[in-house]
Amino acid sequence: QQGLVERAISAYQRVLALFPDVYQAQNNLANLLLEARRPAEALQHAERALALQPGDPLPRVNIGRALLLLDRPAEAVPH
């Protein structure tokens, strides 16, 4: 399954290279990067997704998850 996750990550990265303001792609890539245990990268994409859709709670969840994996729990609490 890890190979599928890495392939999906690559596909989303290609899409976002062309269309960086696609909220769903940013958020989905954050999810995949969290699954691949790449929280620093996930955090960047979750923050971008939140900037694109500030009212959506899903990027906040991803930001919180990434911060917890980065051992930054105090920053995760507001999310």
Side-chain angles (χ1 to χ4, degrees), residues 9-22 25-26 29 45:
I9 287 170
S10 293
Y12 275 109
Q13 288 171 331
R14 287 191 303 273
V15 168
L16 288 170
L18 298 171
F19 307 102
D21 293 336
V22 177
Q26 292 285 358
L29 180 54
H45 291 283

mmCIF file with all atom_site columns, all heavy atoms in Angstrom, residues 9-22 25-26 29 45:
data_model
loop_
_atom_site.group_PDB
_atom_site.id
_atom_site.type_symbol
_atom_site.label_atom_id
_atom_site.label_alt_id
_atom_site.label_comp_id
_atom_site.label_asym_id
_atom_site.label_entity_id
_atom_site.label_seq_id
_atom_site.pdbx_PDB_ins_code
_atom_site.Cartn_x
_atom_site.Cartn_y
_atom_site.Cartn_z
_atom_site.occupancy
_atom_site.B_iso_or_equiv
_atom_site.pdbx_formal_charge
_atom_site.auth_seq_id
_atom_site.auth_comp_id
_atom_site.auth_asym_id
_atom_site.auth_atom_id
_atom_site.pdbx_PDB_model_num
ATOM 1   N N   . ILE A 1 9  ? 0.859  10.611 -4.010  1.00 0.00 ? 9  ILE A N   1
ATOM 2   C CA  . ILE A 1 9  ? 1.551  11.846 -3.631  1.00 0.00 ? 9  ILE A CA  1
ATOM 3   C C   . ILE A 1 9  ? 2.172  12.494 -4.871  1.00 0.00 ? 9  ILE A C   1
ATOM 4   O O   . ILE A 1 9  ? 2.021  13.695 -5.099  1.00 0.00 ? 9  ILE A O   1
ATOM 5   C CB  . ILE A 1 9  ? 2.613  11.575 -2.541  1.00 0.00 ? 9  ILE A CB  1
ATOM 6   C CG1 . ILE A 1 9  ? 1.921  11.293 -1.203  1.00 0.00 ? 9  ILE A CG1 1
ATOM 7   C CG2 . ILE A 1 9  ? 3.588  12.743 -2.414  1.00 0.00 ? 9  ILE A CG2 1
ATOM 8   C CD1 . ILE A 1 9  ? 2.857  10.777 -0.117  1.00 0.00 ? 9  ILE A CD1 1
ATOM 9   N N   . SER A 1 10 ? 2.848  11.706 -5.667  1.00 0.00 ? 10 SER A N   1
ATOM 10  C CA  . SER A 1 10 ? 3.473  12.232 -6.887  1.00 0.00 ? 10 SER A CA  1
ATOM 11  C C   . SER A 1 10 ? 2.439  12.829 -7.829  1.00 0.00 ? 10 SER A C   1
ATOM 12  O O   . SER A 1 10 ? 2.673  13.888 -8.428  1.00 0.00 ? 10 SER A O   1
ATOM 13  C CB  . SER A 1 10 ? 4.252  11.130 -7.606  1.00 0.00 ? 10 SER A CB  1
ATOM 14  O OG  . SER A 1 10 ? 5.351  10.731 -6.831  1.00 0.00 ? 10 SER A OG  1
ATOM 15  N N   . ALA A 1 11 ? 1.310  12.166 -7.963  1.00 0.00 ? 11 ALA A N   1
ATOM 16  C CA  . ALA A 1 11 ? 0.258  12.666 -8.850  1.00 0.00 ? 11 ALA A CA  1
ATOM 17  C C   . ALA A 1 11 ? -0.275 14.009 -8.354  1.00 0.00 ? 11 ALA A C   1
ATOM 18  O O   . ALA A 1 11 ? -0.433 14.957 -9.146  1.00 0.00 ? 11 ALA A O   1
ATOM 19  C CB  . ALA A 1 11 ? -0.871 11.647 -8.956  1.00 0.00 ? 11 ALA A CB  1
ATOM 20  N N   . TYR A 1 12 ? -0.545 14.117 -7.062  1.00 0.00 ? 12 TYR A N   1
ATOM 21  C CA  . TYR A 1 12 ? -1.032 15.388 -6.521  1.00 0.00 ? 12 TYR A CA  1
ATOM 22  C C   . TYR A 1 12 ? 0.023  16.483 -6.649  1.00 0.00 ? 12 TYR A C   1
ATOM 23  O O   . TYR A 1 12 ? -0.313 17.635 -6.925  1.00 0.00 ? 12 TYR A O   1
ATOM 24  C CB  . TYR A 1 12 ? -1.461 15.242 -5.063  1.00 0.00 ? 12 TYR A CB  1
ATOM 25  C CG  . TYR A 1 12 ? -2.880 14.744 -4.913  1.00 0.00 ? 12 TYR A CG  1
ATOM 26  C CD1 . TYR A 1 12 ? -3.148 13.464 -4.462  1.00 0.00 ? 12 TYR A CD1 1
ATOM 27  C CD2 . TYR A 1 12 ? -3.960 15.564 -5.225  1.00 0.00 ? 12 TYR A CD2 1
ATOM 28  C CE1 . TYR A 1 12 ? -4.444 13.009 -4.319  1.00 0.00 ? 12 TYR A CE1 1
ATOM 29  C CE2 . TYR A 1 12 ? -5.267 15.125 -5.097  1.00 0.00 ? 12 TYR A CE2 1
ATOM 30  C CZ  . TYR A 1 12 ? -5.506 13.839 -4.638  1.00 0.00 ? 12 TYR A CZ  1
ATOM 31  O OH  . TYR A 1 12 ? -6.798 13.402 -4.511  1.00 0.00 ? 12 TYR A OH  1
ATOM 32  N N   . GLN A 1 13 ? 1.270  16.148 -6.469  1.00 0.00 ? 13 GLN A N   1
ATOM 33  C CA  . GLN A 1 13 ? 2.328  17.146 -6.624  1.00 0.00 ? 13 GLN A CA  1
ATOM 34  C C   . GLN A 1 13 ? 2.381  17.679 -8.054  1.00 0.00 ? 13 GLN A C   1
ATOM 35  O O   . GLN A 1 13 ? 2.579  18.872 -8.270  1.00 0.00 ? 13 GLN A O   1
ATOM 36  C CB  . GLN A 1 13 ? 3.678  16.561 -6.207  1.00 0.00 ? 13 GLN A CB  1
ATOM 37  C CG  . GLN A 1 13 ? 3.787  16.382 -4.708  1.00 0.00 ? 13 GLN A CG  1
ATOM 38  C CD  . GLN A 1 13 ? 5.019  15.605 -4.283  1.00 0.00 ? 13 GLN A CD  1
ATOM 39  O OE1 . GLN A 1 13 ? 5.525  14.749 -5.011  1.00 0.00 ? 13 GLN A OE1 1
ATOM 40  N NE2 . GLN A 1 13 ? 5.496  15.885 -3.082  1.00 0.00 ? 13 GLN A NE2 1
ATOM 41  N N   . ARG A 1 14 ? 2.170  16.789 -9.015  1.00 0.00 ? 14 ARG A N   1
ATOM 42  C CA  . ARG A 1 14 ? 2.148  17.223 -10.418 1.00 0.00 ? 14 ARG A CA  1
ATOM 43  C C   . ARG A 1 14 ? 0.959  18.149 -10.685 1.00 0.00 ? 14 ARG A C   1
ATOM 44  O O   . ARG A 1 14 ? 1.097  19.167 -11.362 1.00 0.00 ? 14 ARG A O   1
ATOM 45  C CB  . ARG A 1 14 ? 2.127  16.014 -11.360 1.00 0.00 ? 14 ARG A CB  1
ATOM 46  C CG  . ARG A 1 14 ? 3.453  15.278 -11.422 1.00 0.00 ? 14 ARG A CG  1
ATOM 47  C CD  . ARG A 1 14 ? 3.498  14.257 -12.542 1.00 0.00 ? 14 ARG A CD  1
ATOM 48  N NE  . ARG A 1 14 ? 2.451  13.245 -12.486 1.00 0.00 ? 14 ARG A NE  1
ATOM 49  C CZ  . ARG A 1 14 ? 2.528  12.104 -11.801 1.00 0.00 ? 14 ARG A CZ  1
ATOM 50  N NH1 . ARG A 1 14 ? 3.614  11.820 -11.111 1.00 0.00 ? 14 ARG A NH1 1
ATOM 51  N NH2 . ARG A 1 14 ? 1.530  11.240 -11.817 1.00 0.00 ? 14 ARG A NH2 1
ATOM 52  N N   . VAL A 1 15 ? -0.188 17.792 -10.154 1.00 0.00 ? 15 VAL A N   1
ATOM 53  C CA  . VAL A 1 15 ? -1.376 18.637 -10.323 1.00 0.00 ? 15 VAL A CA  1
ATOM 54  C C   . VAL A 1 15 ? -1.142 20.008 -9.700  1.00 0.00 ? 15 VAL A C   1
ATOM 55  O O   . VAL A 1 15 ? -1.422 21.050 -10.315 1.00 0.00 ? 15 VAL A O   1
ATOM 56  C CB  . VAL A 1 15 ? -2.625 17.970 -9.704  1.00 0.00 ? 15 VAL A CB  1
ATOM 57  C CG1 . VAL A 1 15 ? -3.785 18.950 -9.610  1.00 0.00 ? 15 VAL A CG1 1
ATOM 58  C CG2 . VAL A 1 15 ? -3.031 16.747 -10.507 1.00 0.00 ? 15 VAL A CG2 1
ATOM 59  N N   . LEU A 1 16 ? -0.609 20.013 -8.481  1.00 0.00 ? 16 LEU A N   1
ATOM 60  C CA  . LEU A 1 16 ? -0.422 21.287 -7.779  1.00 0.00 ? 16 LEU A CA  1
ATOM 61  C C   . LEU A 1 16 ? 0.680  22.139 -8.383  1.00 0.00 ? 16 LEU A C   1
ATOM 62  O O   . LEU A 1 16 ? 0.665  23.363 -8.225  1.00 0.00 ? 16 LEU A O   1
ATOM 63  C CB  . LEU A 1 16 ? -0.175 21.031 -6.291  1.00 0.00 ? 16 LEU A CB  1
ATOM 64  C CG  . LEU A 1 16 ? -1.424 20.562 -5.537  1.00 0.00 ? 16 LEU A CG  1
ATOM 65  C CD1 . LEU A 1 16 ? -1.065 20.085 -4.148  1.00 0.00 ? 16 LEU A CD1 1
ATOM 66  C CD2 . LEU A 1 16 ? -2.458 21.674 -5.484  1.00 0.00 ? 16 LEU A CD2 1
ATOM 67  N N   . ALA A 1 17 ? 1.600  21.536 -9.093  1.00 0.00 ? 17 ALA A N   1
ATOM 68  C CA  . ALA A 1 17 ? 2.617  22.317 -9.804  1.00 0.00 ? 17 ALA A CA  1
ATOM 69  C C   . ALA A 1 17 ? 1.960  23.164 -10.896 1.00 0.00 ? 17 ALA A C   1
ATOM 70  O O   . ALA A 1 17 ? 2.408  24.270 -11.192 1.00 0.00 ? 17 ALA A O   1
ATOM 71  C CB  . ALA A 1 17 ? 3.675  21.399 -10.401 1.00 0.00 ? 17 ALA A CB  1
ATOM 72  N N   . LEU A 1 18 ? 0.881  22.653 -11.452 1.00 0.00 ? 18 LEU A N   1
ATOM 73  C CA  . LEU A 1 18 ? 0.153  23.374 -12.497 1.00 0.00 ? 18 LEU A CA  1
ATOM 74  C C   . LEU A 1 18 ? -0.967 24.249 -11.943 1.00 0.00 ? 18 LEU A C   1
ATOM 75  O O   . LEU A 1 18 ? -1.247 25.324 -12.473 1.00 0.00 ? 18 LEU A O   1
ATOM 76  C CB  . LEU A 1 18 ? -0.444 22.383 -13.505 1.00 0.00 ? 18 LEU A CB  1
ATOM 77  C CG  . LEU A 1 18 ? 0.550  21.520 -14.271 1.00 0.00 ? 18 LEU A CG  1
ATOM 78  C CD1 . LEU A 1 18 ? -0.176 20.451 -15.069 1.00 0.00 ? 18 LEU A CD1 1
ATOM 79  C CD2 . LEU A 1 18 ? 1.397  22.393 -15.183 1.00 0.00 ? 18 LEU A CD2 1
ATOM 80  N N   . PHE A 1 19 ? -1.612 23.763 -10.890 1.00 0.00 ? 19 PHE A N   1
ATOM 81  C CA  . PHE A 1 19 ? -2.788 24.435 -10.327 1.00 0.00 ? 19 PHE A CA  1
ATOM 82  C C   . PHE A 1 19 ? -2.656 24.519 -8.803  1.00 0.00 ? 19 PHE A C   1
ATOM 83  O O   . PHE A 1 19 ? -3.305 23.762 -8.072  1.00 0.00 ? 19 PHE A O   1
ATOM 84  C CB  . PHE A 1 19 ? -4.064 23.680 -10.700 1.00 0.00 ? 19 PHE A CB  1
ATOM 85  C CG  . PHE A 1 19 ? -4.226 23.427 -12.166 1.00 0.00 ? 19 PHE A CG  1
ATOM 86  C CD1 . PHE A 1 19 ? -3.945 22.178 -12.696 1.00 0.00 ? 19 PHE A CD1 1
ATOM 87  C CD2 . PHE A 1 19 ? -4.633 24.437 -13.021 1.00 0.00 ? 19 PHE A CD2 1
ATOM 88  C CE1 . PHE A 1 19 ? -4.092 21.937 -14.056 1.00 0.00 ? 19 PHE A CE1 1
ATOM 89  C CE2 . PHE A 1 19 ? -4.776 24.211 -14.377 1.00 0.00 ? 19 PHE A CE2 1
ATOM 90  C CZ  . PHE A 1 19 ? -4.500 22.957 -14.894 1.00 0.00 ? 19 PHE A CZ  1
ATOM 91  N N   . PRO A 1 20 ? -1.835 25.427 -8.295  1.00 0.00 ? 20 PRO A N   1
ATOM 92  C CA  . PRO A 1 20 ? -1.552 25.459 -6.855  1.00 0.00 ? 20 PRO A CA  1
ATOM 93  C C   . PRO A 1 20 ? -2.730 25.890 -5.973  1.00 0.00 ? 20 PRO A C   1
ATOM 94  O O   . PRO A 1 20 ? -2.703 25.668 -4.766  1.00 0.00 ? 20 PRO A O   1
ATOM 95  C CB  . PRO A 1 20 ? -0.399 26.455 -6.739  1.00 0.00 ? 20 PRO A CB  1
ATOM 96  C CG  . PRO A 1 20 ? -0.502 27.305 -7.948  1.00 0.00 ? 20 PRO A CG  1
ATOM 97  C CD  . PRO A 1 20 ? -1.069 26.427 -9.031  1.00 0.00 ? 20 PRO A CD  1
ATOM 98  N N   . ASP A 1 21 ? -3.757 26.468 -6.565  1.00 0.00 ? 21 ASP A N   1
ATOM 99  C CA  . ASP A 1 21 ? -4.867 26.975 -5.763  1.00 0.00 ? 21 ASP A CA  1
ATOM 100 C C   . ASP A 1 21 ? -6.071 26.037 -5.717  1.00 0.00 ? 21 ASP A C   1
ATOM 101 O O   . ASP A 1 21 ? -7.184 26.469 -5.426  1.00 0.00 ? 21 ASP A O   1
ATOM 102 C CB  . ASP A 1 21 ? -5.297 28.351 -6.275  1.00 0.00 ? 21 ASP A CB  1
ATOM 103 C CG  . ASP A 1 21 ? -4.226 29.396 -6.037  1.00 0.00 ? 21 ASP A CG  1
ATOM 104 O OD1 . ASP A 1 21 ? -3.397 29.205 -5.125  1.00 0.00 ? 21 ASP A OD1 1
ATOM 105 O OD2 . ASP A 1 21 ? -4.204 30.400 -6.766  1.00 0.00 ? 21 ASP A OD2 1
ATOM 106 N N   . VAL A 1 22 ? -5.859 24.769 -5.987  1.00 0.00 ? 22 VAL A N   1
ATOM 107 C CA  . VAL A 1 22 ? -6.948 23.788 -5.908  1.00 0.00 ? 22 VAL A CA  1
ATOM 108 C C   . VAL A 1 22 ? -7.003 23.266 -4.472  1.00 0.00 ? 22 VAL A C   1
ATOM 109 O O   . VAL A 1 22 ? -6.159 22.480 -4.044  1.00 0.00 ? 22 VAL A O   1
ATOM 110 C CB  . VAL A 1 22 ? -6.750 22.644 -6.920  1.00 0.00 ? 22 VAL A CB  1
ATOM 111 C CG1 . VAL A 1 22 ? -7.847 21.596 -6.767  1.00 0.00 ? 22 VAL A CG1 1
ATOM 112 C CG2 . VAL A 1 22 ? -6.707 23.183 -8.333  1.00 0.00 ? 22 VAL A CG2 1
ATOM 113 N N   . ALA A 1 25 ? -7.024 19.407 -3.766  1.00 0.00 ? 25 ALA A N   1
ATOM 114 C CA  . ALA A 1 25 ? -5.736 18.772 -4.023  1.00 0.00 ? 25 ALA A CA  1
ATOM 115 C C   . ALA A 1 25 ? -4.755 19.070 -2.898  1.00 0.00 ? 25 ALA A C   1
ATOM 116 O O   . ALA A 1 25 ? -4.013 18.185 -2.455  1.00 0.00 ? 25 ALA A O   1
ATOM 117 C CB  . ALA A 1 25 ? -5.170 19.234 -5.365  1.00 0.00 ? 25 ALA A CB  1
ATOM 118 N N   . GLN A 1 26 ? -4.749 20.302 -2.401  1.00 0.00 ? 26 GLN A N   1
ATOM 119 C CA  . GLN A 1 26 ? -3.872 20.647 -1.286  1.00 0.00 ? 26 GLN A CA  1
ATOM 120 C C   . GLN A 1 26 ? -4.222 19.818 -0.048  1.00 0.00 ? 26 GLN A C   1
ATOM 121 O O   . GLN A 1 26 ? -3.348 19.250 0.610   1.00 0.00 ? 26 GLN A O   1
ATOM 122 C CB  . GLN A 1 26 ? -3.980 22.148 -0.952  1.00 0.00 ? 26 GLN A CB  1
ATOM 123 C CG  . GLN A 1 26 ? -3.422 23.068 -2.006  1.00 0.00 ? 26 GLN A CG  1
ATOM 124 C CD  . GLN A 1 26 ? -1.898 23.106 -2.031  1.00 0.00 ? 26 GLN A CD  1
ATOM 125 O OE1 . GLN A 1 26 ? -1.209 22.473 -1.243  1.00 0.00 ? 26 GLN A OE1 1
ATOM 126 N NE2 . GLN A 1 26 ? -1.361 23.869 -2.961  1.00 0.00 ? 26 GLN A NE2 1
ATOM 127 N N   . LEU A 1 29 ? -3.463 16.050 -0.563  1.00 0.00 ? 29 LEU A N   1
ATOM 128 C CA  . LEU A 1 29 ? -2.027 15.799 -0.485  1.00 0.00 ? 29 LEU A CA  1
ATOM 129 C C   . LEU A 1 29 ? -1.563 15.840 0.970   1.00 0.00 ? 29 LEU A C   1
ATOM 130 O O   . LEU A 1 29 ? -0.737 15.015 1.380   1.00 0.00 ? 29 LEU A O   1
ATOM 131 C CB  . LEU A 1 29 ? -1.255 16.810 -1.334  1.00 0.00 ? 29 LEU A CB  1
ATOM 132 C CG  . LEU A 1 29 ? 0.259  16.653 -1.344  1.00 0.00 ? 29 LEU A CG  1
ATOM 133 C CD1 . LEU A 1 29 ? 0.691  15.243 -1.727  1.00 0.00 ? 29 LEU A CD1 1
ATOM 134 C CD2 . LEU A 1 29 ? 0.889  17.683 -2.264  1.00 0.00 ? 29 LEU A CD2 1
ATOM 135 N N   . HIS A 1 45 ? 1.018  21.878 3.154   1.00 0.00 ? 45 HIS A N   1
ATOM 136 C CA  . HIS A 1 45 ? -0.145 21.751 2.271   1.00 0.00 ? 45 HIS A CA  1
ATOM 137 C C   . HIS A 1 45 ? -1.452 21.969 3.031   1.00 0.00 ? 45 HIS A C   1
ATOM 138 O O   . HIS A 1 45 ? -2.393 22.556 2.487   1.00 0.00 ? 45 HIS A O   1
ATOM 139 C CB  . HIS A 1 45 ? -0.119 20.401 1.555   1.00 0.00 ? 45 HIS A CB  1
ATOM 140 C CG  . HIS A 1 45 ? 0.993  20.333 0.559   1.00 0.00 ? 45 HIS A CG  1
ATOM 141 N ND1 . HIS A 1 45 ? 0.934  20.951 -0.667  1.00 0.00 ? 45 HIS A ND1 1
ATOM 142 C CD2 . HIS A 1 45 ? 2.226  19.765 0.642   1.00 0.00 ? 45 HIS A CD2 1
ATOM 143 C CE1 . HIS A 1 45 ? 2.071  20.750 -1.314  1.00 0.00 ? 45 HIS A CE1 1
ATOM 144 N NE2 . HIS A 1 45 ? 2.868  20.035 -0.544  1.00 0.00 ? 45 HIS A NE2 1
#
